[in-house]
Amino acid sequence: MAPTVLVLGGVGFIGRNFVSYLVENSLASEIRVVDKALPATAYLSDAHKKIFEDKRVDFRQANLVNPAAAEKAFARDDGKEFDYVVNLAAETKYGQTEEVYDEKVFQLSVTVAKEAAKRTVKVFVEVSTAQVYEADKKPSSEDAKLKPWTLIAKYKLKAEEELKKIAGLNLVIVRPAIVYGPSDIFGITPRLIVGAVYRQLNEKMELLWTKELKLNTVHVTDVARGLWFVTATKEEQGGRSGPVKSPEIYNLADKGQTDQGTINNFISTIFGIETGFQGTMISQFAKLNLESVTEDVNDKHLQPWSELCKAAGVANTPLTPYLDKELLKDNSLSVDGSKIEKGLGFTYSVPQVTEETLRQVVDDFVATGIWPKGTTK
């Protein structure tokens, strides 16, 4: 009998792709998805809508910060426990207050992890972020120096530390680099939107810092596969040969060593625009005045994007070119994703970002009706 899986935050970007992976490969006999967002209002693609209609998928709406809601989310009608729990529930939007992240990242993770420990689930996977590492040009392995550089990462790391203390929790922590692919809103997509904006403005797109600034990536397909790999046993088509040696930690990052230059080159080809970098003097000025620079940058991009959408009849979209100042800083995201390969025999099916994988993101949004048609070359 295939295992049963509880996916917390399963309507989000990684969640919907993970649920799809489980359904398409018949890896679970029952998949319960719990999220505060309803699938009907989450801008699912047609393919993902179909997945959520599959008889093995059971959706429940809940705010998992609440211990009573978490308890209900874990409870099954047959009195048995879920084999595996994957926690993707967290605030993923940048620019929120510390209080928001404390509640919706830290407290939420601790609440659901305690519930999982109480029920002694076989594996509990906490999906964190590679932004917990010190921003360094050298690729960070799992034991590299920790110095979170976004508020999300700060509270994710706080959650990681707290989860390690929970007795009886079979914990695996996964730290992905920038996740991109169909349905990505906050990863590479804002840069793609900015590309569409500069095509509309007929101007050269110039970014801060240099082309060498590392923005290491991992495709959402590989994140979905990786999550299953660290969870399931070899018999269940996973990578695990025995029980969890809690806590286990794995990075997820492709082989491409993606940087700003890589992304800019693809944006240039996809949108038929010139791209470049601002140079040292302007970048140094930006460093000292990040607040006002961020405001100017966003002011420049938001109006043309809104006009593009309006002209194409896109009335509602979650997509925005808005870049939070945390992401405009010159922080390198350089990640070594090889431990999962060496330790569990995992392989990356999308070893690097390509023009095609980025075009797929845009095409998927166009098909879903939330990206204006005709913006690409």
Side-chain angles (χ1 to χ4, degrees):
M1 182 74 167
T4 56
V5 186
L6 173 60
V7 187
L8 307 172
V11 173
F13 163 45
I14 297 173
R16 64 184 69 173
N17 282 286
F18 180 56
V19 173
S20 296
Y21 180 70
L22 296 180
V23 170
E24 284 161 2
N25 294 284
S26 300
L27 295 169
S29 57
E30 181 190 335
I31 305 154
R32 178 176 294 171
V33 176
V34 181
D35 205 306
K36 66 177 190 302
L38 291 165
T41 59
Y43 302 102
L44 295 181
S45 66
D46 288 345
H48 285 144
K49 279 179 191 161
K50 204 180 276 176
I51 292 292
F52 275 78
E53 286 160 9
D54 189 280
K55 64 180 188 303
R56 288 163 290 186
V57 178
D58 164 34
F59 173 78
R60 310 274 174 104
Q61 189 182 29
N63 177 4
L64 292 163
V65 173
N66 178 339
E71 192 179 348
K72 222 168 152 189
F74 276 75
R76 291 180 58 194
D77 299 339
D78 60 7
K80 291 178 183 170
E81 301 300 349
F82 284 100
D83 294 308
Y84 304 131
V85 179
V86 176
N87 181 33
L88 287 149
E91 180 57 69
T92 52
K93 205 173 175 183
Y94 293 94
Q96 309 296 301
T97 63
E98 297 231 11
E99 291 75 20
V100 167
Y101 296 124
D102 185 69
E103 182 189 30
K104 296 183 179 177
V105 175
F106 173 69
Q107 290 176 38
L108 188 153
S109 286
V110 173
T111 300
V112 297
K114 281 181 175 169
E115 193 61 40
K118 199 166 81 185
R119 295 167 182 272
T120 59
V121 299
K122 289 177 192 167
V123 185
F124 178 87
V125 182
E126 171 70 8
V127 182
S128 184
T129 168
Q131 293 169 353
V132 298
Y133 297 116
E134 185 172 35
D136 194 353
K137 290 188 182 85
K138 204 168 97 262
S140 298
S141 59
E142 287 76 359
D143 52 7
K145 187 176 176 188
L146 298 169
K147 193 183 175 187
W149 48 270
T150 63
L151 284 178
I152 290 175
K154 177 182 168 180
Y155 285 93
K156 273 289 181 194
L157 184 58
K158 192 181 167 188
E160 283 187 26
E161 299 306 332
E162 195 60 30
L163 265 52
K164 287 175 189 174
K165 298 176 198 164
I166 298 173
L169 184 66
N170 300 314
L171 175 64
V172 177
I173 294 165
V174 175
R175 296 173 179 159
I178 298 169
V179 187
Y180 74 101
S183 300
D184 155 39
I185 292 178
F186 301 121
I188 301 285
T189 296
R191 288 171 186 261
L192 294 172
I193 295 169
V194 170
V197 164
Y198 278 92
R199 180 182 167 97
Q200 166 82 348
L201 294 171
N202 199 15
E203 286 178 27
K204 183 179 182 180
M205 178 178 108
E206 290 189 301
L207 299 186
L208 290 170
W209 325 123
T210 65
K211 68 177 195 289
E212 286 85 18
L213 183 69
K214 293 285 182 216
L215 297 173
N216 282 187
T217 48
V218 59
H219 195 277
V220 71
T221 307
D222 282 329
V223 176
R225 290 176 56 248
L227 289 176
W228 188 244
F229 225 78
V230 301
T231 306
T233 61
K234 283 196 164 63
E235 298 74 48
E236 296 159 345
Q237 300 180 49
R240 178 170 298 293
S241 52
V244 170
K245 298 175 186 72
S246 180
E248 290 179 16
I249 302 175
Y250 298 97
N251 292 339
L252 287 173
D254 63 31
K255 304 287 178 207
Q257 282 302 313
T258 315
D259 55 26
Q260 282 209 125
T262 319
I263 302 293
N264 263 22
N265 289 341
F266 291 133
I267 287 174
S268 175
T269 315
I270 292 167
F271 298 101
I273 58 170
E274 255 192 283
T275 63
F277 293 90
Q278 295 280 13
T280 318
M281 222 165 84
I282 293 178
S283 292
Q284 284 311 112
F285 171 80
K287 206 174 212 166
L288 301 170
N289 302 274
L290 206 56
E291 197 82 41
S292 66
V293 168
T294 306
E295 219 170 284
D296 293 347
V297 162
N298 287 319
D299 281 350
K300 175 160 181 144
H301 301 153
L302 288 164
Q303 190 61 35
W305 174 246
S306 156
E307 284 163 8
L308 262 173
C309 290
K310 203 173 162 190
V314 175
N316 291 309
T317 179
L319 303 175
T320 169
Y322 182 86
L323 284 165
D324 188 75
K325 70 174 187 293
E326 287 190 307
L327 297 181
L328 275 179
K329 285 180 187 164
D330 58 337
N331 285 316
S332 288
L333 188 71
S334 184
V335 188
D336 177 352
S338 64
K339 178 185 169 183
I340 188 171
E341 295 177 295
K342 294 170 193 155
L344 297 177
F346 180 75
T347 51
Y348 290 93
S349 63
V350 186
Q352 62 194 59
V353 178
T354 62
E355 182 190 330
E356 189 193 351
T357 53
L358 292 181
R359 279 190 185 272
Q360 281 167 0
V361 176
V362 177
D363 294 346
D364 186 65
F365 283 139
V366 170
T368 309
I370 56 177
W371 182 300
K373 283 180 181 160
T375 59
T376 57
K377 194 179 164 189

